[in-house]
Amino acid sequence: MEQAIMNNLGFPILSALIFLPIAGAALLLLMPRAKESLIKWASLLVSIIAFALSIPLFTNFDKTTHLMQFKERYEWIPSWNVTYYLGLDGISVLFVLLSTLITILCVLISWNSIKTKTKEFYISILIMEGAMIGVFCSLDFMLFYLFWEAMLIPMYLLIGVWGGPNRIYAAVKFFLYTLIGSVLMLVGIIVLYFYAGKTFDILELMTKTYPYQLQFWLFWAFFAAFAVKVPMFPVHTWLPDAHTEAPTAGSVILAAVLIKMGAYGFIRFSLPLFPEASKAMTPVMLTLSVIAIIYGAVICLAQTDLKRLIAYSSVSHMGFVTLGIFALNSQGVEGGILQMINHGIVTGALFLSVGVIYDRTHTRQIADYGGVASVMPVYAAAFMVFTLASIGLPATNGFIGEFLIILGGFAANQWAGVLAATGIIIGAGYMLWLYQRVFFMETNQKVAGLNDVNMREIITLLPMVLLIFWIGVYPNTFLGFMHESVRHLLERVNTGSVHEINIAKNIMEILK
Amino acid sequence: MSNYLLIPFLPLAAFLINILLGRKYLREKAHWVSILAVAGSWVVAVMTLGDVLSGKTLNQDLYTWIVSGSFKVSVGFLIDQLTVVMLIVVTTCSMLIHIYSVGYMHGDNGYYRFFAYLSLFTFCMLMLVMANNFLQLYFGWEGVGLCSYFLIGYYFEKKSASDAGKKAFIVNRFGDFGFGLGVIMIFLTFGTTYYEPVFGQVGGFANQTVNFLGYDVHLMTLIALLLFCGAIGKSAQMPLHVWLPDAMEGPTPVSALIHAATMVTAGVFMVARCNPIFSLSETALMVVALTGAITSLFSATIGLVQNDIKRIIAYSTISQLGYMFLACGVGAYTAGIFHLYTHAFFKALLFLCAGSVMHAMAGELDLQKMGGLKKYMPVTYFTMLLASLSIAGVPGFAGFFSKDEILWMAYSGPSPVGKFVWLIGTIVAFLTAFYSFRLIFLTFHGKFRGTHEQEHHLHESPKVMTIPLVLLCLGAIFSGYVGVPNLIGGIFGIEHSNWVAEFMKPVLGHPEGHGTHSEEWMVMGISVIAGFSGIGLAALFYLIKTDIPVKLAQQFNAIYKVLFNKYYVDELYSFLIVRPTIWISEKVLIGITDAKIIEAIVNGVPKGIGVLSQQLRKVQTGFLQHYAAIMAAGVLIIIALMLLR
Amino acid sequence: MVPLNWYLMLSTVVFMIGVFGFLTRRNIIIMFMSVELMLNGVNISLISFSHFLQDMRGQILVFFIITVAAAEAAIGLAIIIALFRNKTTAHVDEMTEMKG
């Protein structure tokens, strides 16, 4: 069976997207360190070209098929049957676009706030972009794992070098947390490789069926990697530290793209590879998701640090995503994917906004703010839009995602739906309270006389505002990408049959 | 269709223009955009009324909003009798209040912002009433809540105002929690969220039960009660009424438009719209009726003792909304909507008059510091007096007809709690008359009790404010004549004088009361007597023997205190919900789960490895000979092993 | 002809002298010389085996060892001189920088 349709653009667009930023980073390496503005403009240009290059993915995508598109395949390490295999389907295509867009905004928001080691900073961001796109495009497990781990390095540097006072702790914590999970996944990948006849080809692996016992163990091995990235309760504690200490651009990438990879992994790998195990684990996953939703939301109420609050709100929102995914119905999964995009946009935008004001005041304490709306009205308006999207007001993107997820979650398990809905109440509580303490009430001495957003910052925030309303008012543009892929995925999950085979025998075969 | 689109989208356009250009370019001229837009909407709404009167209704989708699997919902419009009544109420009130605001908000810093929000509100409210499916209803529902949040917190520098806005939003979210689940239940039951197929199929599910969270419940009761949760929040019924009095922190035109005439009535509209669902569940109807009745009594008693002019009217609003729910709960949806329609006029008028008084008093709200304003502001006085007569149910005024309709339907209807809620309704009618006239007498009669400066400042409001007052006053008097009871109409030889009931019949049905004419006269008589005795008692207390209220307050100090502190509901919520949640967050989740359990493991494992390696490093002595000796020993062991093998 | 065992015994004796010298002496130069002794002990056994087996590879290896030992001696002595300049001692017990 032909698993993928060929690239209809006539040139290897995905490779170009992955390696353009990396080549750009190499180019930056050659530039003189002293010419900061040249470095900035060059990285902006590279990120804009990458974004422009990704637009054909949006316009030329064939929404009527679940097959992989824009496919590329070359031999890489023939002796191990490792290939360089790229492709996109309706689940992954939007994330590539999100990554390229977010990178531009990250370059823009760091324009004046990164004052040391500027060159290395932009190199890290561009390498990050290439690795992120690589993760979403890979159809070969070895390649996937390569990009997956490659992402850690620039992020580790971003936090560890340009972060806040406690940056080393946060960076090491982030690195180890994610690495431990990833290594377990690597074990899972190798087991799969040997079990399925020495292939890393993800599409081929997906056509096979695995005995339940094997599925069960592999599900948890992959879970370790994905749950940490999401992050799900109870492995979420790296996120607040990483977000708080990271520079603005780091937080934005982390929130907008990096933590999406966990949920993406669940959809791309866990569900189709281990359908029976996924179905059997649904109660556990739904429980963890609901705990994350409520836990993350309640904990936000007592935060005193702007970035920490938004970080914990990510835990809550990503709980919605995993809830939707493991609802295992089309509303849930599509809502989950859309909510991943939404969360990328909204939380990314919130971190961008925090960055805007942090550049001016150099404090993250909520108590240091107050009355910002009087001094910075345009900024306040933009932040209000992000707040509203975050609490899921209809006509913003947050509503579409959360509604579909709660609908799907409720259909799958009534308690999950009902409890998740309480997260929305608490969500309104902490976000509005945050907004009140920062923007309303009497003007705090520390914010008096601040300048409103300038043109660069407006350009940074505006795409997010537009996307929020675009998805909120006409989500079908984006949902349309997913229908076929999600339908195909759910067919695979819901019709899979269990083959009970003696696990010991299999392990022996694997080890041989 | 395209004409009807103008109704909501003109205000939306005005909002966009004002919010984008207002701060820099429009400034003092911002009102023109909004007023023209809403006037345009009003004109089209009136034309729509003409269309509907000639029998043209419409149910059409604009575009598909969300598609996912079998779930599909559109942005679409339903124009029928119920919609058109709401359209007229919303656009008329909105237009007059826009005009009034030109005077009231004159010179304010956020002038453009105010008009932008008002327009956005009008847009959302119109989307709400024109929706043809539950999800779009939900869109409007949350949208008006958002505008309410913006406008309550309009003076955001004040902590109390921003608190009140936040409170309104969050309390409403509690209601919307149920409402959202209701919509989901509807989708899972009917496979669609469009009104037409849902209401069409509803009969087939009449006696079905469903398992909800482990309990077997009657399906229609469940859906109706979940939806009603939303109405409780939005229409400020017990126990979610706490936000509305606080909402008076907003500018007065906002209180008039949003927290009296239109938004808070959305709950009543929704219940009326979903009458096919509610009618199938006796339990749900009973809950609606009792909630309405108890709320109306409860808030009327609070209204008796408050001193803040706007809060009194706010409690009166809660009380009147309770009345409307009472009507819906006894199956008299038409009566509920009729009361909604008359109430919009006289309540908006009351608020605008209060705004006019505040304008003259430089923002003073305390009744005890007013008095004798009659001679300074005659227009305000007369319009407010007429509005109060209307709310008190004096025959001939709009409020009389709608209130009488409700009480008669409660008394004579089939509802098992009908007689009980009728009794409460009558008591409330008495209390309403009392506190309304307490307000009038304390404000406009007697001697001025404020400071000299304030007295010097007293003046009638400008024409741009008084003309809307007069226009609304006409509504408060005459709007009731579309629904004159057939009993009274019969005397004048008019058949079907209860014209509004006939009009609404296709949507809401029209249950007939089962009682004799003499009973109907009795019900009417009792309510009129209740109204007049309320007015009379207020006159006695506040005009003739002004020392009685103080003595009563002293004698029944405990009751007075409970009433004055609004039954301590806010304190109760703070004690039961707000503080425990934050306590759990701080002390349990952050303090124990995150810090003591998860982080203990996360930081503990590396720490354990660290301790272990601390021990291991002692092997590394630094003496070369030690290393060499260990190496030699290792070699010997290896050789030994090889030899022994 | 001298039997192979004798050569091997000589080789063992030279190697063991080197080992004991390395383990017991504290002067770094002496220890260095002991290492050279060990290398030469190994060289003797390699050459004797080479002769016994009539295989030139053993002798080639010895040439390698001698070359490497020469290079090592040069580098090692240079390091020792550098150390001595810093520490003014050649006593290894006073060089415990590697203590964990």
Side-chain angles (χ1 to χ4, degrees), chain B residues 137-157:
Chain B
L137 176 73
Y138 192 77
F139 160 76
W141 192 266
E142 291 262 298
V144 291
L146 173 73
C147 299
S148 161
Y149 165 75
F150 283 151
L151 285 164
I152 295 169
Y154 178 75
Y155 300 115
F156 59 76
E157 298 90 348

Side-chain angles (χ1 to χ4, degrees), chain A residues 173 295 298 312 436 441 473, chain B residues 63 156 163 213 585 594 599:
Chain A
K173 192 174 185 180
Y295 188 93
V298 171
Y312 271 114
Q436 183 193 17
M441 305 199 287
V473 174
Chain B
Y63 72 92
F156 59 76
D163 275 342
L213 301 180
S585 176
D594 252 25
E599 285 291 81

Side-chain angles (χ1 to χ4, degrees), chain A residues 40 43-44 47 103-111 122 125:
Chain A
K40 287 177 195 166
S43 41
L44 182 62
S47 57
T103 309
I104 301 180
L105 306 182
C106 285
V107 170
L108 279 173
I109 201 73
S110 311
W111 208 258
Y122 288 104
I125 290 214

Side-chain angles (χ1 to χ4, degrees), chain B residues 617-618 620-625 627-630 632, chain C residues 22-26 31 92-93 95-96 98-100:
Chain B
R617 64 187 273 198
K618 289 180 184 161
Q620 211 84 355
T621 55
F623 292 108
L624 196 52
Q625 257 79 23
Y627 301 145
I630 291 168
Chain C
F22 187 81
L23 289 179
T24 52
R25 301 306 291 261
R26 290 290 183 271
M31 289 170 72
V92 286
D93 283 358
M95 297 171 196
T96 53
M98 292 297 284
K99 186 176 185 329

Side-chain angles (χ1 to χ4, degrees), chain B residues 504-557:
Chain B
M504 300 291 252
K505 212 171 189 172
V507 192
L508 301 179
H510 183 48
E512 292 290 337
H514 300 285
T516 60
H517 280 194
S518 55
E519 273 180 318
E520 195 169 350
W521 283 118
M522 178 200 78
V523 167
M524 201 182 289
I526 291 175
S527 85
V528 169
I529 291 167
F532 275 117
S533 51
I535 298 173
L537 197 67
L540 177 70
F541 277 21
Y542 297 101
L543 288 182
I544 302 162
K545 297 217 167 189
T546 46
D547 51 340
I548 296 179
V550 184
K551 277 187 197 157
L552 276 177
Q554 278 164 357
Q555 201 150 9
F556 300 99
N557 194 22

Side-chain angles (χ1 to χ4, degrees), chain B residues 433-476:
Chain B
F434 177 80
Y435 65 68
S436 299
F437 276 84
R438 172 175 176 261
L439 177 73
I440 292 283
F441 295 145
L442 281 176
T443 313
F444 292 102
H445 293 261
K447 268 204 307 210
F448 187 71
R449 294 180 295 272
T451 60
H452 251 301
E453 276 164 51
Q454 281 175 325
E455 191 167 10
H456 190 68
H457 183 71
L458 292 174
H459 60 83
E460 182 57 282
S461 300
K463 283 250 160 42
V464 73
M465 288 167 73
T466 51
I467 288 171
L469 293 185
V470 173
L471 291 176
L472 276 175
C473 185
L474 294 178

